[in-house]
Amino acid sequence: MRTKFLLVIAIVSLLFAPLSAQDECGDAYIRAMTEKNPAQQAQLLKDFLAKCAGTGSQYENFANANLSLLNYPGKTPADAISYGEKALSLGGLDDLTKCQILLQVSALYSQSGQNLEKAKSYGLQVTEVAKAAKAKETEGATTTAGQWNKMIGAGYFTMGQAQEKAKDFKGAVDSYANSYTLLKNPQIMASIKKLGKTLYDAKAYADAEKAFHAAYTVTKDNDIAAVYAQSLYRNNKD
């Protein structure tokens, strides 16, 4: 009888030990997220991951996400990429957080000139996630359709950055033009004009014509129209 009783105690201990550990992880994550100082918050999140990563904690993905997005002293682009991609691989993020990480990591890859195909893919994923989220939007939701449009426009812009770095200039102009349609940001227009001038000055008139045709169709900008006309002339077209 005593042996059976001891066996029951052992089984109960095994059942409740993981729950206790998960409670500790949950408390550690909550402490980190209620900390106001960015440096201390980052350290608490790192402590949480050191203790709870790989244990099945429901907060592991968001801890990585926050370390990727949080601006804290000593953080490097490599840190932002590493934590961001870990959060993406774990899954379970809300659409807004996922879009923010994809945008950041895409931009960082483009700035470094590395993993440009991945950077382009991440930008494309932002447009897909944001479009799907916008389609699911219900009246009175906290994120408006306008905010999702901004995310879609930002996704196109990061795609354009990656394409420009990869010297896919036609693709870059198309992406920038799509971004401008949604965001109407003068800086995007400036990027389109600069890229088109680069093509024209390099005497890549056929590519310049294609790029400016797409850009003018979207923007109806007079400066773009002028260079588009010059490109047509150089290609012996009306």
Side-chain angles (χ1 to χ4, degrees), residues 5 15 50 69 93 117 129 151 158 185 188-189 219 227-228:
F5 180 70
L15 287 173
L69 297 172
L93 300 172
E117 278 302 312
V129 172
M151 280 292 174
T158 54
N185 188 316
I188 301 172
M189 178 66 76
T219 65
V227 185
Y228 177 41

Side-chain angles (χ1 to χ4, degrees), residues 75-84 108:
K75 177 184 171 184
T76 66
D79 291 333
I81 290 171
S82 177
Y83 286 121
L108 289 173

Side-chain angles (χ1 to χ4, degrees), residues 58-131:
Q58 60 180 316
Y59 303 113
E60 184 179 351
N61 54 351
F62 282 102
N64 280 283
N66 282 296
L67 283 169
S68 177
L69 297 172
L70 181 67
N71 186 18
Y72 58 89
K75 177 184 171 184
T76 66
D79 291 333
I81 290 171
S82 177
Y83 286 121
E85 292 193 321
K86 180 63 175 178
L88 293 172
S89 70
L90 288 169
L93 300 172
D94 61 275
D95 291 334
L96 186 59
T97 302
K98 184 175 182 179
C99 284
Q100 290 172 329
I101 291 175
L102 288 167
L103 287 171
Q104 175 176 254
V105 176
S106 175
L108 289 173
Y109 274 141
S110 291
Q111 288 169 15
S112 69
Q114 299 176 340
N115 295 309
L116 295 177
E117 278 302 312
K118 186 182 281 190
K120 177 183 171 183
S121 172
Y122 284 166
L124 178 61
Q125 286 181 54
V126 173
T127 66
E128 292 171 344
V129 172
K131 286 176 182 177

